[in-house]
Amino acid sequence: MKSISGALVSIVRSGDVAFVAVVVVAYISAVATIGYAPRHFTAFGLTLLIGSGLAYLVAGTWGFARCKTERRWVPFYFPVQMVLAATTIYLLPSGAIFLIALPLAGQGVVLLSRPWMLAVCVVILAMMVAPIWWRGGIVPAAIVALIFVGGLVFVVVFTQIAVDERNARKEVERLLSELSEANRKLREYATQVEELATTQERNRLAREIHDSLGHYLTVINIQMEAARAVIDDRRRVLEVLGKAQTLAQDGLTEIRRSVAALRSSPTENRPLREILSSLVGECRSAGIAAELHVQGAARLLAPQIELTLYRSAQEGLTNVRKHARASRATVTLDYSKVGVVRLVVEDDGVGGDSGGGGFGLLGVQERAELIGGNARIRSNENGGFTLEVELHE
């Protein structure tokens, strides 16, 4: 019983509910009107009537759904259905049994080209009118033909409207899908344009710094050397000029370093651990015992995240060298939390009353907030300073 009920549910789901409803109503009408004109059915005739009716119903649901996905069955579908419908109508010519042929016209709209659909309608009309003409003459046949033509036209027009609406909906869905894909590509192009503009602006600033400040600092350095050569008998002046020359040379070195940093991102084509190790190495060269610790398995990060972590470590270690008076510093890169990466820079220096001062540390906080992270800066109770940056991947 379960297999039979499952098969019936599958048939109904795969077929056309309207088809089932029309056919069932036609069968009920025909059976209900048998009492007005009783007919004698032989066992063979009754079996043939029931078999043809069930076969017509199954083919019109499951078979129609199969034809919509596999068009090679269409040439066989309509002849088989017409034979089954004609058999049922011939064996049970009462009530509204003729309605069972109407859904075939609608299915023709879905499965066939217009000429073949019209041919199916003509065959259905002939199939309905011929028995009446044969039994009752041309006048009843003509009346039935007029009525049935109206039904055929209604079914064909209504089905065509439904098909056009379905096709229009699919076209809208296709266009929306294409629009979504176009928007995705546009966002990608916008990102590429933004990156290109950033690179161009970085190179423009590098040229400006090199051609303006670099030029002037070079001229100052040359003038200082000339001044020393002219007034070398004035010891005090020489000391001042020597200091100015040293400052000018330091400024020129700093400008060149800035130019190099602006021309390319320091994290490009280099692992984050490697570039952090280079920063720690610079700190060791300044006489501070610096170490790098990596916790958890390293993951591939977005370029903005890597750059923010690099700049944060750079700023933290720069403060250690310049202001902390520390003997030891530790940089920790932590991947242990899923979806989050942390950077901690600690030292054993003098600390401070507040960790929020300075443009460099303020820039670290702004960088982190721009990509949805946060930066915390604090002085430790037992001395030393801690910079902690937490970013979400």
Side-chain angles (χ1 to χ4, degrees):
M1 291 297 292
K2 290 184 178 180
S3 61
I4 295 175
S5 61
L8 291 176
V9 171
S10 177
I11 288 171
V12 172
R13 286 179 178 175
S14 63
D16 187 351
V17 177
F19 180 93
V20 175
V22 171
V23 172
V24 169
V25 169
Y27 287 167
I28 294 174
S29 174
V31 172
T33 56
I34 289 178
Y36 296 102
R39 291 176 57 83
H40 176 69
F41 291 96
T42 64
F44 174 78
L46 185 60
T47 302
L48 183 60
L49 174 62
I50 296 173
S52 63
L54 290 176
Y56 182 80
L57 188 62
V58 172
T61 52
W62 179 82
F64 175 64
R66 187 74 176 270
C67 287
K68 286 193 292 186
T69 57
E70 300 181 34
R71 292 301 178 118
R72 59 194 177 94
W73 298 110
V74 174
F76 305 100
Y77 175 77
F78 287 97
V80 170
Q81 283 294 77
M82 288 179 183
V83 170
L84 292 174
T87 301
T88 303
I89 293 171
Y90 175 78
L91 294 175
L92 194 62
S94 58
I97 193 62
F98 67 94
L99 290 175
I100 64 173
L102 281 178
L104 288 179
Q107 292 176 345
V109 174
V110 176
L111 297 177
L112 300 173
S113 62
R114 182 158 297 180
W116 281 108
M117 180 269 295
L118 293 176
V120 167
C121 291
V122 170
V123 173
I124 293 173
L125 181 62
M127 183 177 65
M128 292 303 305
V129 173
I132 298 175
W133 192 351
W134 178 48
R135 290 181 181 137
I138 189 172
V139 175
I143 296 174
V144 170
L146 290 174
I147 297 173
F148 201 77
V149 165
L152 282 174
V153 170
F154 174 81
V155 170
V156 168
V157 171
F158 182 85
T159 306
Q160 187 63 57
I161 292 174
V163 169
D164 292 342
E165 182 180 357
R166 182 193 63 188
N167 293 337
R169 186 165 57 251
K170 288 183 177 179
E171 181 66 15
V172 170
E173 292 173 354
R174 184 186 66 82
L175 292 175
L176 288 176
S177 177
E178 292 180 356
L179 181 60
S180 177
E181 179 66 15
N183 286 334
R184 184 187 66 80
K185 291 182 178 179
L186 184 60
R187 287 194 296 269
E188 292 179 355
Y189 295 152
T191 301
Q192 294 175 3
V193 169
E194 182 180 358
E195 292 175 354
L196 179 60
T198 301
T199 301
Q200 291 175 341
E201 181 65 10
R202 183 187 298 133
N203 291 336
R204 186 190 69 82
L205 289 174
R207 289 192 299 269
E208 289 293 329
I209 292 173
H210 180 271
D211 295 341
S212 59
L213 293 178
H215 168 74
Y216 288 119
L217 288 175
T218 302
V219 172
I220 290 173
N221 186 42
I222 294 174
Q223 293 298 323
M224 292 296 180
E225 290 181 353
R228 293 186 66 179
V230 173
I231 56 173
D232 55 359
D233 57 336
R234 299 182 180 180
R235 185 177 60 84
R236 180 61 181 165
V237 173
L238 285 178
E239 290 178 359
V240 173
L241 290 177
K243 186 176 181 180
Q245 182 181 6
T246 300
L247 292 174
Q249 289 174 339
D250 291 342
L252 183 58
T253 301
E254 189 67 25
I255 289 299
R256 286 172 177 167
R257 184 181 301 153
S258 299
V259 169
L262 285 169
R263 286 195 178 276
S264 62
S265 174
T267 62
E268 287 179 353
N269 302 320
R270 296 178 62 192
L272 181 59
R273 180 169 185 165
E274 178 183 331
I275 58 177
L276 292 183
S277 295
S278 65
L279 292 177
V280 170
E282 293 175 4
C283 203
R284 288 199 194 101
S285 300
I288 299 173
E291 296 180 351
L292 172 65
H293 301 296
V294 179
Q295 299 177 355
R299 300 187 293 272
L300 183 64
L301 303 174
Q304 306 96 310
I305 294 178
E306 288 194 346
L307 182 59
T308 300
L309 293 173
Y310 170 76
R311 292 302 187 194
S312 300
Q314 185 181 48
E315 179 62 26
L317 292 176
T318 298
N319 284 339
V320 170
R321 292 196 300 269
K322 289 185 176 180
H323 310 299
R325 300 200 294 275
S327 61
R328 180 176 299 276
T330 302
V331 178
T332 303
L333 183 61
D334 186 2
Y335 294 97
S336 57
K337 189 175 180 181
V338 178
V340 174
V341 60
R342 293 172 62 248
L343 177 80
V344 180
V345 180
E346 296 178 291
D347 65 69
D348 62 351
V350 297
D353 295 332
S354 173
F359 290 108
L361 295 178
L362 180 61
V364 170
Q365 292 175 319
E366 291 176 349
R367 280 180 179 273
E369 291 172 358
L370 282 174
I371 58 175
N374 59 79
R376 292 182 291 274
I377 305 164
R378 65 179 183 273
S379 292
N380 303 325
E381 293 181 358
N382 56 352
F385 206 71
T386 298
L387 167 64
E388 181 178 351
V389 178
E390 183 174 275
L391 305 177
H392 298 274
E393 300 177 46

